[in-house]
Amino acid sequence: MDYATLLQLLDSTLRLATPLLLACLAGLYSERSGVFDIGLEGKMLTAAMCAGAVAFYTGNAWVGALAGIVGSLIFALIHGVTSITFRGNQLIAGVALNFLASGLTVLTAQALFGQGGRTPPLEGAARFGELTLPFAEALRPVPILGPLYADVISGHSILVYAAFGIVALTWWVLYRTRYGLRLRAVGENPAAVDTAGVSVKGLRFSAVMITGVLCGLAGAYMATALQAGFGKEMTAGRGYIALAALIFAKWRPVQAMWACLLFGFFQALALRPDVVEAVVHVKVPVPFLDALPYILTVIVLAGFIGKAIPPRAGGEPYVKER
Amino acid sequence: MDRLPRWADVALVPFVSLLLAAIISALVIIAIGQDPWEAITVMVEGSVMNAYGWGYTLYYATSFIFTGLAVTVAFHAGLFNIGGEGQAQLGGLGVALALLFIPWPHWSIALVAAALGAALFGAAWAAIPAYLQAKRGSHIVITTIMFNYIAASLMIFMLVDVLRPPGKMDPATANFPEATHLPSFNEIPGLNLIFTSGVPANVTFFIALIMAVVVWLLLWRTRLGYQIRAFGKSEPAARYAGINPTKIIMIAMLISGGLAGLMAINNVMGEAERLLGNSASGAGFIGIAVALMGRNHPVGVVLAALLFGFLFQGGAELGLWTKIPIELRTVVQGLVILFTGALDMMVRMLLIRIFAVFRARKLEAA
């Protein structure tokens, strides 16, 4: 494999890792607050449909992204009401929301556009364009680093850079702010947070809403940046890969970034089986590459690469006063 | 807190949940500019008003009974098995391997072999998540989700690279031998008086009903069933009573996976008569809705499976005859899971309030 191919691979790694990363960080807030969320997939899908449809009507990717966030927030609200207010089973609620999203997105897109459940192709300002970072062309002649900067780091949509910015922001919020401390506490020991006079429900709701916003960005990225429009089931299990990455990263933001980059790299590899074959000299079946993130997650869950321990109060609704 | 009378708990709560799901579905249909009344008419006519429709409704219901029972058994052990889909796909692989390479003389013997293959492969696919839950404490929900995706990849690999007959383009196995054809309802003496045209419902339906009885006997009439239920209610109490958690988790999940796998004798052996890609086509997930709706009781599961059979066949008719996309059934499925599974408490609180009002009135009158 030559350097140019490697750069191509890394470039698509960044593209493919971005929706995973946004969804993964989304899940991080919810799960750190003690609300398990296997509905990331459904929220992303809803957001992708809303973003695709509104971007088509307005011709503006930003308005589309906003609509995506709103759509995802509605689902987050249902999840919150179900699992926090009515103390329902969080996992079952997530499963239900995924099915709802899967059906409703197609129904809506079909009713609006009549094109078999997808939005018309988006073009121009309806998509997030690629940004060329300063000096990308000027630095290209620099050996090794120049092409890396020009081809891999530069030339992505703003949401890609935003995703990596949110990693830093999340780290800061989680470990350097009062809100982050409370968030971590409420996922481990809600009774203690309650005793300190902080509302457990309020904290959890806020976390679930942040999850909604980030899933909204992830979905908007899918429909208006990575691809040109919404298509049926376009998230294709990314919500679950993000969940896998979250476990892989043991619910920590910076590690989540590395996990998503790794899984994004696998996805990029699955698109280039020829490269894989040239490197390992054995024909690797594409389905194996597709399955790799899931297999790795199971291995991590099994505790063979350091044990993944979820937030202690995760999955349990909080009941005040017994 | 006030409690609901038993009849309300058993019948009214699921009914109200279903009603709420139906109302919202109707609103969704109105929102996309279609007529809910027309929708329900088309669904009823296409699925339960004639023998042909029943032939499909019962065919779907058969698969859902298996996957619903699978989720039920795991639920009683306090385990949420979302892996029914993957286990059912692996069950399909078991059926294919049992039927493709051995020349069975008669369908009845072939059925036994295929059922064993299906159950064995389904159970094997549940075994790893079960072991990881029991021994390493890995959350079974996450591992079974992961195993669904791994199963999907494995099946693509098996169908494209291993089992596909040479020279064929579509990712599927060769057709199973003629001798392994299961009698469908239109070929069973007696039933063929009702089912005059070819329908996919087949003898497997009766096996599904038998399995429902077996699961009931297992859970409520055997020592093992008692241990499973005790473990599901309270792990510390079960541990204290000398019940081995590892054993219960393993056994419950193996039975669960086996039941999900068994579904394949209906769709792979009974209907397609070869193994196709995505063979379970979502039935594994519908098992979750069926188990929740059926209140984790075999009788409820059979009734809920019939309802979902109706929904599935009716939904397909909608896709054919109206402008309502077939995906409406996914929406209804999601709503049923939401109301019967996650918002159970809300429905209950609502009913408790209503009952309290009635009681107060009765007291006043007395």
Side-chain angles (χ1 to χ4, degrees), chain A residues 7 10-11 14 131-133 136 145-157 160-161:
Chain A
L7 290 183
L10 291 179
D11 184 50
L14 275 188
L131 299 179
T132 309
L133 294 188
L145 290 179
L148 184 74
Y149 181 70
D151 291 333
V152 178
I153 298 183
S154 169
H156 293 283
S157 80
V160 175
Y161 304 110

Side-chain angles (χ1 to χ4, degrees), chain B residues 69-87:
Chain B
L69 289 174
V71 177
T72 295
V73 172
F75 256 137
H76 278 287
L79 303 164
F80 186 14
N81 176 13
I82 312 194
E85 187 73 8
Q87 290 143 18

Side-chain angles (χ1 to χ4, degrees), chain B residues 295-314:
Chain B
R295 291 240 145 328
N296 291 314
H297 191 284
V299 175
V301 165
V302 170
L303 292 176
L306 282 173
L307 185 83
F308 269 89
F310 155 73
L311 178 70
F312 231 64
Q313 168 57 10

Side-chain angles (χ1 to χ4, degrees), chain B residues 155-214:
Chain B
M155 294 306 284
I156 293 173
F157 171 69
M158 289 304 285
L159 288 177
V160 173
D161 291 319
V162 183
L163 290 172
R164 184 173 54 158
K168 286 280 168 59
M169 283 307 288
D170 53 337
T173 65
N175 286 335
F176 300 148
E178 196 71 25
T180 64
H181 171 76
L182 290 181
S184 38
F185 278 10
N186 53 307
E187 294 158 348
I188 300 172
L191 275 178
N192 62 3
L193 300 175
I194 309 167
F195 295 93
T196 44
S197 52
V199 289
N202 56 69
V203 284
T204 324
F205 177 67
F206 303 106
I207 299 179
L209 292 182
I210 294 169
M211 289 321 289
V213 177
V214 170

Side-chain angles (χ1 to χ4, degrees), chain B:
Chain B
M1 195 162 70
D2 286 332
R3 301 189 82 184
L4 287 172
R6 192 169 153 69
W7 67 271
D9 197 46
V10 172
L12 198 59
V13 172
F15 177 75
V16 171
S17 307
L18 194 65
L19 198 68
L20 287 169
I23 293 171
I24 295 186
S25 309
L27 291 177
V28 167
I29 296 176
I30 294 172
I32 60 168
Q34 305 290 329
D35 179 5
W37 185 247
E38 185 202 352
I40 190 77
T41 321
V42 169
M43 284 178 78
V44 169
E45 271 176 14
S47 55
V48 290
M49 292 307 275
N50 53 57
Y52 185 73
W54 271 107
Y56 277 86
T57 302
L58 292 179
Y59 161 70
Y60 290 125
T62 308
S63 294
F64 302 157
I65 293 175
F66 284 122
T67 54
L69 289 174
V71 177
T72 295
V73 172
F75 256 137
H76 278 287
L79 303 164
F80 186 14
N81 176 13
I82 312 194
E85 187 73 8
Q87 290 143 18
Q89 289 195 11
L90 263 285
L93 185 62
V95 168
L97 295 179
L99 296 182
L100 279 173
F101 303 108
I102 306 168
W104 299 102
H106 191 260
W107 64 264
S108 52
I109 307 168
L111 180 59
V112 174
L116 281 177
L120 215 64
F121 272 62
W125 204 246
I128 306 169
Y131 178 82
L132 292 179
Q133 169 80 57
K135 282 290 180 192
R136 326 254 341 166
S138 326
H139 203 300
I140 196 120
V141 170
I142 308 292
T143 41
T144 47
I145 291 176
M146 299 302 141
F147 266 71
N148 279 340
Y149 281 96
I150 300 172
S153 294
L154 178 68
M155 294 306 284
I156 293 173
F157 171 69
M158 289 304 285
L159 288 177
V160 173
D161 291 319
V162 183
L163 290 172
R164 184 173 54 158
K168 286 280 168 59
M169 283 307 288
D170 53 337
T173 65
N175 286 335
F176 300 148
E178 196 71 25
T180 64
H181 171 76
L182 290 181
S184 38
F185 278 10
N186 53 307
E187 294 158 348
I188 300 172
L191 275 178
N192 62 3
L193 300 175
I194 309 167
F195 295 93
T196 44
S197 52
V199 289
N202 56 69
V203 284
T204 324
F205 177 67
F206 303 106
I207 299 179
L209 292 182
I210 294 169
M211 289 321 289
V213 177
V214 170
V215 166
W216 179 78
L217 285 174
L218 168 81
L219 285 175
W220 280 280
R221 288 293 177 273
T222 64
R223 181 188 293 251
L224 177 66
Y226 180 78
Q227 290 181 337
I228 289 178
R229 288 184 296 124
F231 178 79
K233 283 257 159 47
S234 167
E235 188 179 332
R239 225 182 260 270
Y240 190 69
I243 295 171
N244 179 353
T246 309
K247 188 184 124 192
I248 295 300
I249 292 175
M250 286 305 291
I251 291 182
M253 277 305 285
L254 287 177
I255 295 174
S256 178
L259 283 166
L262 261 184
M263 182 203 121
I265 56 172
N266 183 45
N267 64 339
V268 177
M269 184 182 188
E271 203 260 335
E273 304 196 340
R274 61 182 180 145
L275 182 59
L276 298 156
N278 190 20
S279 64
S281 51
F285 293 123
I286 291 174
I288 300 167
V290 167
L292 288 171
M293 171 104 220
R295 291 240 145 328
N296 291 314
H297 191 284
V299 175
V301 165
V302 170
L303 292 176
L306 282 173
L307 185 83
F308 269 89
F310 155 73
L311 178 70
F312 231 64
Q313 168 57 10
E317 294 282 314
L318 280 185
L320 280 178
W321 306 113
T322 70
K323 285 198 177 130
I324 302 169
I326 197 165
E327 280 78 9
L328 178 71
R329 51 191 200 192
T330 321
V331 176
V332 179
Q333 184 188 340
L335 288 171
V336 168
I337 296 178
L338 187 67
F339 283 111
T340 58
L343 283 172
D344 189 67
M345 185 82 101
M346 183 190 80
V347 175
R348 234 165 251 275
M349 282 181 190
L350 196 78
L351 286 177
I352 286 173
R353 277 211 189 140
I354 295 172
F355 272 87
V357 170
F358 274 110
R359 267 184 209 141
R361 277 201 194 148
K362 237 185 218 169
L363 281 179
E364 268 170 36

Side-chain angles (χ1 to χ4, degrees), chain A residues 172-205:
Chain A
W172 182 75
V173 167
L174 210 55
Y175 300 111
R176 289 292 179 271
T177 67
R178 188 194 315 204
Y179 176 76
L181 179 65
R182 288 175 174 174
L183 190 74
R184 286 180 288 142
V186 81
E188 298 291 337
N189 190 348
V193 176
D194 200 15
T195 313
V198 182
S199 161
V200 173
K201 286 188 177 181
L203 261 176
R204 288 191 167 168
F205 254 109

Side-chain angles (χ1 to χ4, degrees), chain A residues 67-269:
Chain A
I69 291 174
V70 171
S72 170
L73 271 176
I74 293 173
F75 269 63
L77 191 65
I78 301 176
H79 192 222
V81 169
T82 310
S83 50
I84 303 170
T85 311
F86 288 110
R87 304 199 294 271
N89 185 320
Q90 299 164 3
L91 298 167
I92 295 178
V95 173
L97 289 178
N98 284 343
F99 286 122
L100 269 183
S102 162
L104 281 178
T105 49
V106 177
L107 246 59
T108 316
Q110 174 66 14
L112 291 178
F113 305 107
Q115 296 191 357
R118 58 186 180 82
T119 63
L122 303 174
E123 45 197 27
R127 286 186 70 198
F128 282 100
E130 292 171 354
L131 299 179
T132 309
L133 294 188
F135 313 115
E137 287 313 309
L139 289 175
R140 190 182 282 280
V142 178
I144 310 285
L145 290 179
L148 184 74
Y149 181 70
D151 291 333
V152 178
I153 298 183
S154 169
H156 293 283
S157 80
I158 185 145
L159 290 177
V160 175
Y161 304 110
F164 287 88
I166 294 173
V167 174
L169 185 69
T170 300
W171 180 87
W172 182 75
V173 167
L174 210 55
Y175 300 111
R176 289 292 179 271
T177 67
R178 188 194 315 204
Y179 176 76
L181 179 65
R182 288 175 174 174
L183 190 74
R184 286 180 288 142
V186 81
E188 298 291 337
N189 190 348
V193 176
D194 200 15
T195 313
V198 182
S199 161
V200 173
K201 286 188 177 181
L203 261 176
R204 288 191 167 168
F205 254 109
S206 69
V208 168
M209 289 297 122
I210 296 174
T211 302
V213 172
L214 293 180
C215 277
L217 283 179
Y221 175 80
M222 288 295 299
T224 58
L226 189 65
Q227 286 168 32
F230 168 80
K232 196 158 138 181
E233 293 291 335
M234 78 179 303
T235 44
R238 282 184 170 82
Y240 293 112
I241 300 188
L243 202 61
L246 185 60
I247 297 163
F248 203 79
K250 295 168 192 158
W251 293 268
R252 293 170 299 179
V254 178
Q255 287 80 352
M257 177 184 75
W258 294 116
C260 289
L261 283 171
L262 180 69
F263 291 174
F265 183 66
F266 290 148
Q267 290 191 332
L269 277 185

